[in-house]
Amino acid sequence: MKGLSPIGFVIALAFFASPFFVFPGLSEYADLPQTVAVFGFASLAMVTWALLSLRRRAIFLPPLSITVEAAAFTAWSFLSLAWAQNRYLALSDAAHFLSCFLILFLIAAERRGMIPFLPAAASLLVAWTAASLLGTAQALFHVNWVEQSVTPSSLFANRNMAAQYAGMALPLALAGMVIPGSLLRRAAAFAGAAAALLFILFTGTRAVILSMVILFLLIPPAMIHLLAGAGRKEGPSAKAAAILFAALIALPMITAPVLTGRGFLDTGVRPLSRIGSELKASGTAPTSPQVRLALWKNGIEMAKDHVLLGVGGGNFEVFYPLYHRAAAVDRLFDFDRKARFVHNEYLQVLIDYGAVGLFLYLVFLVSLLGGTVRLARSARRIEIRLIALGLGGMVLVYSVFSFFSFPLHRSMPPLLLAFAGGFLASFDRAERGSGTARRLPLRFAAGAVLVALTVTVGAVGAYGAISVLRSDLHYNNALTAERRGEWKQALDEGIASNRACRRRVDGLAVAGAAALKLGDPAKAARLLEKVLERRPWHTNTLLNLGVALTASGSPEKGARYTAAVVSLQPENGRARANLGFQYLRGDEPSRAVEQLSAAIERGGDGADVRTSLGIALHRIGKERAAEEAFEKALEIDEGYGPAHRSLAALCTGVFSEPVRGAFHARRYEEIEKDSILVKIFRNEMKKIGPGEVRPAGL
């Protein structure tokens, strides 16, 4: 477009291209590269801004409203690094907030509101329409051009994230449908809105569907009211706008049954109506509302303990193991499943950044809505009023589904908030007159320093972003190798992940587990101890470290780590079984009996657990109970050698039942065949009882 500045071009490119950054080789193959792309475009735009400022010998500052509120929250997110347990997580969030703030800053600093807005809005329109059409094709035709965790996810790996992107973009299309301009532009906006709305229905994302209901109850009537007061000369009639909005709402009602064979109620209304019944549902697997309710209750307890400053950006997942039973039992919490988010952005911000952070965040959102109302009431031109309502609709939709999700911690929603906030501020200044623009003179030397600073920061950030991508690539390779049982590769890739980004320790957790499988407990212990420096309550790491230390000859130290897991997850049979093994190895049979018995009661039963329980019972003088435990082990697995071995020793050395003892001895030798253990067993049988027999795995 004529008159578009280089900064406006870069920003328009950012809104068009960022969603398309998807790298299947990563563990976070959509959100992470999209976040890195946003950072790259923000850095490029800042360098361009610095060069233009040097050429103009002046810096044009944006209006204070909205910009200051966004800057305050961004600064607080960086300040939280000071008390964050895991600074990698805190820095990741803060860096993305900074990228989006810089884009908001540059948009707000533009002195010609409509000139940069139209190409940016067009870029966003093309991007969300393409993403919505791809998602619809995934739902209808099972298109697999892009990897998905749950279909349809479009470009975002997760259908909830995809629906949020489409939902936030749709209000802008509502404004595009009715602002004065060419018929082609309005038709394109209508097509983009229809594509987004239909895709949202296909995702079945209830939080976004609810936000759409609220959006259509508020924004289209407000637009129609504005058009009714403006008259036909300044745009389409209110009646024509009402017909357009009605057609947009009716379109999915008509097309959904045709395309899916299901009625509109099934795709749009019933997902909302099922929430109440799902909250009351009983079954082995908790429903989504039940999981969220447990997360919210436990999250509130965490917030109470860190009410002022929070736990640090992104550190909810670090502390959550301490709280997963604080107010309600999170039935999905386990070694292989860790909650990363509380699924309520307002509560998430309170937990991560404390009451101070939540206050700053809410002030920012209120300032966006306030700017919307101010422009909708007082802007001189009808198109600015309508666009303001569209931008405010983006904020409204975001604010609604934030009650049930965590959009601030994803790649695209903060970028779209920056779009809304930047242009609301830019239009506000334009409506007040160019005289309100603040111009700071810039000498050449200061301008050169500014250019050098932005280039340096961008280069350092680019190096860090590449390091994070490399780290995630190695981490994904480690996870893949772990699933395949390729332990050497899992070990190497996990270590490489940490080398690529030293503050990230996810790969070391995988590497430590692989080292255990490879029979190197000492190395496993060293790796896992590094993980606990940044994730001290990571239950899987605590459990593996306990095993590694026990296998390295330190059962007492290993038992302390396993006991920490038991204190976090008292109902976990696997953890109690491991603790029982370690107490037995550390010659504490009474404590071993307590934990092994508890493991059996909590679903941690197994032939090895029963055999270890029998040995512990023998050591405290309960021979018949030991015999029963060994027999139970053989009921579970008749071919479990250590149980036969223990019974052979018990029957021969304690009960004086040589025939029975000989039977179990023969079975043991048949199972082990030519193993060196058979020779050892034959020598032991001459002198020992089962108290000297070790269970498998110790």
Side-chain angles (χ1 to χ4, degrees), residues 62-143:
L64 295 178
S65 177
I66 297 177
T67 310
V68 169
E69 291 88 338
F73 178 72
T74 303
W76 184 257
S77 71
F78 274 96
L79 192 60
S80 77
L81 269 72
W83 57 85
Q85 175 73 36
N86 189 316
R87 292 182 179 175
Y88 167 79
L89 297 173
L91 183 59
S92 298
D93 283 352
H96 188 47
F97 298 160
L98 177 62
S99 300
C100 296
F101 165 73
L102 293 176
I103 289 176
L104 184 153
F105 174 91
L106 294 173
I107 293 173
E110 283 285 344
R111 293 165 293 161
R112 301 163 296 174
M114 286 297 288
I115 291 178
F117 172 78
L118 291 177
S123 298
L124 185 55
L125 169 65
V126 173
W128 96 62
T129 303
S132 299
L133 292 175
L134 174 60
T136 302
Q138 290 168 344
L140 294 178
F141 309 115
H142 308 290
V143 172

XYZ file of all heavy atoms in Angstrom, residues 62-143:
624
model
N 4.890 6.379 21.335
C 3.456 6.082 21.275
C 2.724 6.770 22.417
O 3.346 7.239 23.377
C 3.410 4.559 21.428
C 4.612 4.241 22.259
C 5.667 5.222 21.820
N 1.400 6.838 22.362
C 0.642 7.396 23.493
C 0.830 6.531 24.732
O 1.085 5.327 24.643
C -0.810 7.360 22.997
C -0.823 6.344 21.907
C 0.520 6.406 21.268
N 0.701 7.161 25.886
C 0.937 6.447 27.137
C -0.137 5.408 27.415
O 0.148 4.318 27.922
C 1.015 7.441 28.296
C 2.198 8.416 28.257
C 2.130 9.367 29.442
C 3.517 7.660 28.270
N -1.377 5.746 27.098
C -2.476 4.826 27.375
C -2.261 3.517 26.621
O -1.891 3.504 25.455
C -3.798 5.464 26.952
O -4.865 4.565 27.142
N -2.474 2.427 27.277
C -2.309 1.052 26.789
C -0.842 0.657 26.747
O -0.457 -0.417 27.245
C -2.972 0.825 25.409
C -4.490 1.039 25.501
C -2.644 -0.563 24.868
C -5.211 0.910 24.174
N 0.013 1.506 26.175
C 1.437 1.163 26.066
C 2.076 1.021 27.438
O 2.830 0.069 27.684
C 2.169 2.242 25.252
O 1.476 2.478 24.045
C 3.593 1.792 24.946
N 1.793 1.947 28.334
C 2.387 1.892 29.672
C 1.901 0.669 30.431
O 2.681 -0.016 31.109
C 2.060 3.189 30.452
C 2.440 3.044 31.919
C 2.790 4.363 29.834
N 0.623 0.368 30.316
C 0.079 -0.798 31.020
C 0.724 -2.091 30.517
O 1.076 -2.983 31.301
C -1.441 -0.870 30.838
C -2.206 0.226 31.548
C -2.371 1.476 30.714
O -1.558 1.674 29.768
O -3.296 2.269 30.978
N 0.900 -2.197 29.189
C 1.558 -3.380 28.624
C 3.011 -3.457 29.059
O 3.521 -4.538 29.384
C 1.459 -3.348 27.098
N 3.693 -2.305 29.090
C 5.093 -2.276 29.508
C 5.238 -2.691 30.968
O 6.182 -3.407 31.341
C 5.673 -0.880 29.297
N 4.306 -2.273 31.813
C 4.385 -2.589 33.241
C 4.269 -4.092 33.479
O 5.046 -4.676 34.245
C 3.293 -1.845 34.000
N 3.307 -4.729 32.812
C 3.160 -6.172 33.005
C 4.359 -6.927 32.445
O 4.847 -7.890 33.050
C 1.879 -6.667 32.347
C 1.687 -8.145 32.472
C 1.352 -8.719 33.695
C 1.875 -8.985 31.379
C 1.200 -10.092 33.826
C 1.716 -10.353 31.495
C 1.377 -10.906 32.725
N 4.868 -6.499 31.287
C 6.042 -7.149 30.704
C 7.245 -7.019 31.624
O 7.990 -7.992 31.840
C 6.359 -6.534 29.328
O 5.214 -6.653 28.483
C 7.536 -7.233 28.684
N 7.448 -5.827 32.181
C 8.572 -5.622 33.093
C 8.441 -6.507 34.337
O 9.436 -7.079 34.819
C 8.651 -4.150 33.494
N 7.225 -6.642 34.852
C 7.020 -7.488 36.036
C 7.321 -8.958 35.716
O 7.853 -9.679 36.567
C 5.598 -7.334 36.544
C 5.337 -8.086 37.819
C 4.671 -9.254 37.970
C 5.780 -7.716 39.125
N 4.652 -9.648 39.281
C 5.328 -8.719 40.021
C 6.504 -6.641 39.633
C 5.591 -8.670 41.385
C 6.751 -6.589 41.003
C 6.298 -7.596 41.848
N 7.006 -9.377 34.505
C 7.304 -10.766 34.144
C 8.806 -11.016 34.149
O 9.259 -12.097 34.542
C 6.704 -11.094 32.769
O 7.397 -10.441 31.724
N 9.594 -10.033 33.722
C 11.050 -10.181 33.784
C 11.543 -10.122 35.224
O 12.469 -10.853 35.603
C 11.733 -9.090 32.956
C 11.886 -9.443 31.507
C 10.954 -9.022 30.580
C 12.946 -10.215 31.076
C 11.078 -9.357 29.244
C 13.095 -10.555 29.733
C 12.151 -10.127 28.813
N 10.921 -9.278 36.033
C 11.330 -9.171 37.426
C 11.105 -10.477 38.175
O 11.844 -10.812 39.104
C 10.552 -8.027 38.097
C 11.046 -7.578 39.478
C 12.490 -7.091 39.412
C 10.139 -6.481 40.033
N 10.112 -11.254 37.749
C 9.820 -12.513 38.439
C 10.934 -13.536 38.285
O 10.956 -14.538 39.002
C 8.497 -13.106 37.931
O 8.649 -13.723 36.671
N 11.865 -13.318 37.353
C 13.021 -14.214 37.244
C 13.828 -14.237 38.534
O 14.508 -15.228 38.829
C 13.934 -13.784 36.097
C 13.666 -14.411 34.731
C 12.395 -13.851 34.109
C 14.843 -14.181 33.782
N 13.742 -13.135 39.310
C 14.534 -13.039 40.536
C 14.139 -14.089 41.555
O 14.970 -14.533 42.359
C 14.395 -11.635 41.133
N 12.874 -14.514 41.571
C 12.441 -15.496 42.572
C 11.911 -16.793 41.952
O 11.389 -17.655 42.642
C 11.378 -14.898 43.499
C 10.158 -14.360 42.807
C 9.052 -15.036 42.412
C 9.923 -12.993 42.444
N 8.142 -14.204 41.817
C 8.643 -12.930 41.831
C 10.653 -11.811 42.579
C 8.099 -11.744 41.349
C 10.109 -10.640 42.094
C 8.851 -10.603 41.501
N 12.046 -16.941 40.646
C 11.565 -18.159 39.986
C 12.511 -19.324 40.273
O 13.732 -19.179 40.170
C 11.441 -17.946 38.488
N 11.958 -20.484 40.637
C 12.767 -21.681 40.860
C 13.409 -22.135 39.553
O 14.572 -22.519 39.515
C 11.880 -22.806 41.413
C 12.570 -24.143 41.582
C 13.536 -24.157 42.738
O 13.290 -23.534 43.772
N 14.652 -24.850 42.591
N 12.647 -22.100 38.467
C 13.140 -22.508 37.150
C 13.142 -21.276 36.254
O 12.111 -20.874 35.723
C 12.247 -23.605 36.570
C 12.825 -24.230 35.315
O 13.317 -23.537 34.436
N 12.768 -25.547 35.233
N 14.304 -20.686 36.062
C 14.382 -19.432 35.325
C 14.240 -19.632 33.820
O 13.905 -18.675 33.108
C 15.695 -18.723 35.652
C 15.732 -18.226 37.088
C 17.002 -17.478 37.409
N 16.976 -16.999 38.786
C 17.984 -16.388 39.390
N 19.110 -16.191 38.718
N 17.877 -16.000 40.636
N 14.497 -20.819 33.344
C 14.280 -21.081 31.912
C 12.808 -20.881 31.568
O 12.471 -20.240 30.568
C 14.728 -22.498 31.565
C 14.255 -22.963 30.209
C 14.904 -22.548 29.055
C 13.139 -23.793 30.075
C 14.464 -22.948 27.801
C 12.691 -24.202 28.827
C 13.352 -23.783 27.700
O 12.913 -24.179 26.464
N 11.922 -21.439 32.379
C 10.491 -21.293 32.132
C 10.059 -19.836 32.258
O 9.264 -19.340 31.451
C 9.702 -22.165 33.107
C 9.926 -23.679 32.999
C 9.200 -24.405 34.136
C 9.450 -24.194 31.651
N 10.573 -19.142 33.267
C 10.204 -17.738 33.468
C 10.691 -16.875 32.309
O 9.976 -15.988 31.827
C 10.772 -17.235 34.789
N 11.919 -17.127 31.856
C 12.476 -16.333 30.762
C 11.745 -16.605 29.455
O 11.548 -15.691 28.642
C 13.966 -16.638 30.605
C 14.712 -15.837 29.532
C 14.624 -14.345 29.819
C 16.169 -16.286 29.446
N 11.331 -17.842 29.237
C 10.601 -18.169 28.009
C 9.320 -17.348 27.905
O 9.012 -16.778 26.843
C 10.267 -19.665 27.981
O 11.441 -20.444 27.968
N 8.562 -17.284 29.004
C 7.324 -16.500 28.992
C 7.618 -15.012 28.839
O 6.983 -14.316 28.035
C 6.538 -16.750 30.276
C 5.820 -18.086 30.271
O 5.802 -18.745 29.216
O 5.292 -18.484 31.317
N 8.570 -14.514 29.619
C 8.862 -13.082 29.593
C 9.364 -12.638 28.221
O 9.014 -11.548 27.743
C 9.895 -12.750 30.674
N 10.181 -13.461 27.571
C 10.696 -13.101 26.248
C 9.568 -12.982 25.230
O 9.575 -12.083 24.375
C 11.722 -14.140 25.794
N 8.588 -13.880 25.316
C 7.459 -13.794 24.376
C 6.607 -12.562 24.666
O 6.146 -11.882 23.738
C 6.614 -15.058 24.464
C 5.553 -15.140 23.408
N 5.807 -14.883 22.077
C 4.224 -15.428 23.478
C 4.692 -15.025 21.369
N 3.719 -15.340 22.198
N 6.401 -12.266 25.942
C 5.658 -11.045 26.285
C 6.381 -9.816 25.728
O 5.747 -8.883 25.223
C 5.502 -10.911 27.796
C 4.722 -12.018 28.447
C 4.834 -12.259 29.809
C 3.889 -12.836 27.707
C 4.126 -13.279 30.419
C 3.174 -13.867 28.304
C 3.299 -14.089 29.663
N 7.707 -9.815 25.838
C 8.478 -8.684 25.333
C 8.331 -8.553 23.821
O 8.159 -7.438 23.304
C 9.947 -8.844 25.713
C 10.893 -7.759 25.184
C 10.511 -6.401 25.751
C 12.344 -8.093 25.515
N 8.397 -9.680 23.109
C 8.239 -9.635 21.646
C 6.900 -9.005 21.273
O 6.840 -8.130 20.394
C 8.328 -11.049 21.070
O 9.571 -11.651 21.359
N 5.848 -9.444 21.926
C 4.513 -8.920 21.616
C 4.383 -7.460 22.040
O 3.733 -6.651 21.345
C 3.446 -9.785 22.285
S 3.408 -11.476 21.653
N 5.002 -7.104 23.171
C 4.959 -5.698 23.588
C 5.659 -4.797 22.574
O 5.172 -3.697 22.261
C 5.605 -5.513 24.958
C 5.902 -4.083 25.272
C 4.881 -3.204 25.593
C 7.200 -3.585 25.198
C 5.145 -1.855 25.844
C 7.470 -2.254 25.444
C 6.441 -1.381 25.775
N 6.804 -5.247 22.048
C 7.524 -4.426 21.074
C 6.682 -4.200 19.825
O 6.685 -3.100 19.253
C 8.851 -5.092 20.707
C 9.892 -5.161 21.831
C 11.122 -5.928 21.377
C 10.270 -3.767 22.317
N 5.942 -5.229 19.392
C 5.060 -5.058 18.238
C 3.937 -4.079 18.576
O 3.587 -3.210 17.766
C 4.514 -6.430 17.797
C 5.648 -7.245 17.166
C 3.355 -6.277 16.822
C 5.275 -8.643 16.779
N 3.370 -4.194 19.771
C 2.350 -3.229 20.209
C 2.927 -1.815 20.224
O 2.284 -0.862 19.748
C 1.842 -3.622 21.595
C 0.704 -2.798 22.209
C -0.095 -3.661 23.194
C 1.197 -1.562 22.950
N 4.132 -1.665 20.759
C 4.801 -0.358 20.848
C 4.970 0.258 19.463
O 4.671 1.440 19.245
C 6.156 -0.545 21.534
C 7.018 0.678 21.562
C 6.958 1.565 22.616
C 7.906 0.945 20.524
C 7.760 2.703 22.646
C 8.710 2.069 20.533
C 8.634 2.947 21.597
N 5.445 -0.537 18.512
C 5.713 -0.014 17.177
C 4.424 0.333 16.442
O 4.371 1.326 15.702
C 6.520 -1.042 16.381
C 7.935 -1.305 16.910
C 8.589 -2.446 16.159
C 8.792 -0.039 16.824
N 3.375 -0.479 16.631
C 2.087 -0.149 16.013
C 1.535 1.144 16.608
O 1.069 2.036 15.893
C 1.086 -1.303 16.210
C 1.527 -2.540 15.429
C -0.306 -0.883 15.773
C 0.679 -3.770 15.709
N 1.597 1.252 17.933
C 1.059 2.437 18.607
C 1.823 3.703 18.238
O 1.264 4.805 18.246
C 1.086 2.224 20.119
N 3.117 3.551 17.909
C 3.929 4.721 17.567
C 3.650 5.240 16.161
O 4.090 6.342 15.812
C 5.416 4.369 17.703
N 2.936 4.463 15.354
C 2.596 4.906 13.999
C 1.656 6.109 14.055
O 0.669 6.100 14.781
C 1.934 3.765 13.224
C 2.911 2.716 12.723
C 3.723 3.194 11.529
O 3.337 4.194 10.897
O 4.763 2.572 11.239
N 1.967 7.099 13.260
C 1.173 8.334 13.280
C 0.074 8.342 12.227
O -0.724 9.269 12.171
C 2.096 9.537 13.059
C 3.074 9.783 14.208
C 4.170 10.731 13.787
N 5.036 10.133 12.775
C 5.830 10.832 11.968
N 5.833 12.144 12.037
N 6.602 10.215 11.089
N 0.016 7.304 11.383
C -0.981 7.250 10.307
C -1.776 5.965 10.483
O -1.462 4.944 9.878
C -0.280 7.277 8.959
C 0.574 8.528 8.746
C 1.552 8.338 7.607
N 2.523 7.284 7.913
C 3.423 6.822 7.042
N 3.455 7.313 5.820
N 4.269 5.883 7.394
N -2.798 6.029 11.335
C -3.480 4.828 11.799
C -3.942 3.870 10.721
O -3.645 2.683 10.748
N -4.695 4.361 9.714
C -5.289 3.460 8.736
C -4.267 2.900 7.752
O -4.444 1.808 7.219
C -6.401 4.174 7.959
C -7.673 4.374 8.744
S -8.451 2.805 9.237
C -9.077 2.230 7.660
N -3.189 3.616 7.485
C -2.214 3.158 6.486
C -1.541 1.859 6.923
O -1.480 0.909 6.138
C -1.186 4.265 6.189
C -1.876 5.418 5.453
C -0.025 3.721 5.370
C -0.978 6.584 5.149
N -1.054 1.725 8.147
C -0.500 0.423 8.553
C -1.569 -0.598 8.925
O -1.323 -1.804 8.859
C 0.363 0.760 9.761
C -0.251 1.982 10.339
C -0.776 2.762 9.163
N -2.772 -0.111 9.303
C -3.801 -1.051 9.751
C -4.288 -1.954 8.622
O -4.428 -3.169 8.792
C -4.991 -0.291 10.352
C -6.165 -1.175 10.652
C -6.177 -1.981 11.779
C -7.261 -1.227 9.783
C -7.253 -2.817 12.047
C -8.336 -2.052 10.051
C -8.324 -2.853 11.178
N -4.576 -1.374 7.470
C -5.190 -2.152 6.397
C -4.319 -3.322 5.927
O -4.814 -4.448 5.805
C -5.558 -1.233 5.229
C -6.712 -0.257 5.510
C -6.939 0.658 4.320
C -7.982 -1.015 5.854
N -3.017 -3.131 5.654
C -2.211 -4.299 5.264
C -2.032 -5.307 6.394
O -2.001 -6.523 6.141
C -0.869 -3.699 4.835
C -0.839 -2.339 5.432
C -2.246 -1.882 5.517
N -1.928 -4.826 7.633
C -1.804 -5.754 8.759
C -3.082 -6.572 8.915
O -3.033 -7.791 9.124
C -1.492 -4.992 10.047
N -4.236 -5.895 8.801
C -5.509 -6.600 8.911
C -5.692 -7.574 7.752
O -6.191 -8.696 7.930
C -6.660 -5.597 8.953
N -5.278 -7.166 6.546
C -5.390 -8.067 5.394
C -4.496 -9.289 5.576
O -4.891 -10.418 5.242
C -5.015 -7.314 4.118
N -3.291 -9.093 6.093
C -2.384 -10.217 6.343
C -2.989 -11.182 7.350
O -2.933 -12.404 7.171
C -1.034 -9.692 6.860
O -0.411 -8.873 5.906
N -3.555 -10.621 8.396
C -4.189 -11.456 9.410
C -5.397 -12.194 8.833
O -5.621 -13.378 9.126
C -4.600 -10.586 10.599
C -5.169 -11.298 11.828
C -4.209 -12.357 12.340
C -5.476 -10.283 12.924
N -6.170 -11.512 7.982
C -7.331 -12.135 7.344
C -6.912 -13.342 6.502
O -7.508 -14.427 6.600
C -8.053 -11.110 6.470
C -9.134 -11.658 5.524
C -10.289 -12.236 6.317
C -9.625 -10.566 4.578
N -5.880 -13.186 5.703
C -5.412 -14.291 4.858
C -4.922 -15.448 5.723
O -5.229 -16.621 5.454
C -4.297 -13.803 3.910
C -3.686 -14.985 3.157
C -4.837 -12.777 2.928
N -4.185 -15.128 6.788
C -3.612 -16.176 7.635
C -4.697 -16.973 8.345
O -4.682 -18.208 8.340
C -2.662 -15.550 8.650
N -5.659 -16.262 8.972
C -6.671 -17.019 9.727
C -7.634 -17.748 8.797
O -8.117 -18.827 9.135
C -7.384 -16.142 10.745
C -8.686 -15.533 10.345
C -9.847 -16.194 10.008
C -8.999 -14.143 10.247
N -10.846 -15.292 9.713
C -10.357 -14.026 9.853
C -8.276 -12.981 10.472
C -10.978 -12.797 9.668
C -8.900 -11.761 10.302
C -10.227 -11.674 9.902
N -7.897 -17.196 7.625
C -8.763 -17.899 6.684
C -8.099 -19.179 6.206
O -8.729 -20.247 6.145
C -9.108 -16.996 5.486
O -9.725 -15.793 5.962
C -10.052 -17.703 4.538
N -6.805 -19.087 5.867
C -6.078 -20.279 5.430
C -6.027 -21.321 6.541
O -6.233 -22.525 6.302
C -4.669 -19.894 4.994
N -5.753 -20.870 7.771
C -5.694 -21.806 8.898
C -7.055 -22.453 9.140
O -7.144 -23.661 9.416
C -5.218 -21.076 10.154
N -8.129 -21.668 9.031
C -9.477 -22.205 9.257
C -9.860 -23.211 8.177
O -10.443 -24.263 8.463
C -10.494 -21.070 9.310
O -10.213 -20.176 10.378
N -9.527 -22.904 6.923
C -9.834 -23.830 5.834
C -9.054 -25.128 5.966
O -9.582 -26.225 5.707
C -9.550 -23.166 4.487
C -10.478 -22.006 4.097
C -10.013 -21.362 2.799
C -11.918 -22.485 3.966
N -7.792 -25.025 6.371
C -6.993 -26.232 6.590
C -7.607 -27.077 7.702
O -7.730 -28.310 7.572
C -5.552 -25.854 6.948
C -4.644 -27.023 7.343
C -4.516 -28.035 6.214
C -3.269 -26.510 7.778
N -8.008 -26.425 8.797
C -8.629 -27.164 9.892
C -9.927 -27.824 9.484
O -10.218 -28.961 9.884
N -10.719 -27.121 8.670
C -11.972 -27.704 8.190
C -11.692 -28.912 7.300
O -12.382 -29.941 7.377
C -12.779 -26.650 7.424
O -13.038 -25.534 8.288
C -14.105 -27.215 6.950
N -10.659 -28.816 6.450
C -10.278 -29.948 5.605
C -9.800 -31.131 6.447
O -10.068 -32.294 6.117
C -9.194 -29.518 4.620
N -9.111 -30.841 7.540
C -8.685 -31.916 8.441
C -9.889 -32.628 9.044
O -9.894 -33.856 9.192
C -7.797 -31.339 9.551
C -6.441 -30.868 9.070
C -5.710 -30.045 10.116
O -6.315 -29.579 11.087
N -4.427 -29.848 9.927
N -10.912 -31.846 9.396
C -12.098 -32.435 10.018
C -12.928 -33.239 9.026
O -13.445 -34.308 9.364
C -12.956 -31.328 10.645
N -13.037 -32.738 7.800
C -13.936 -33.368 6.831
C -13.260 -34.439 5.983
O -13.857 -35.479 5.690
C -14.527 -32.296 5.907
C -15.452 -31.268 6.557
C -15.906 -30.246 5.535
C -16.661 -31.951 7.190
N -12.020 -34.180 5.593
C -11.363 -35.062 4.617
C -10.114 -35.746 5.178
O -9.380 -36.382 4.428
C -10.984 -34.248 3.371
C -12.121 -33.447 2.810
C -12.085 -32.063 2.803
C -13.262 -34.077 2.312
C -13.133 -31.310 2.301
C -14.323 -33.334 1.812
C -14.261 -31.952 1.803
N -9.869 -35.579 6.490
C -8.726 -36.226 7.155
C -7.402 -35.853 6.486
O -6.522 -36.698 6.300
C -8.906 -37.742 7.176
C -10.226 -38.177 7.734
N -10.536 -38.046 9.075
C -11.330 -38.710 7.140
C -11.768 -38.493 9.286
N -12.275 -38.892 8.133
N -7.282 -34.589 6.119
C -6.044 -34.088 5.534
C -4.948 -34.109 6.596
O -5.144 -33.625 7.713
C -6.248 -32.654 4.994
C -4.924 -32.052 4.565
C -7.231 -32.672 3.835
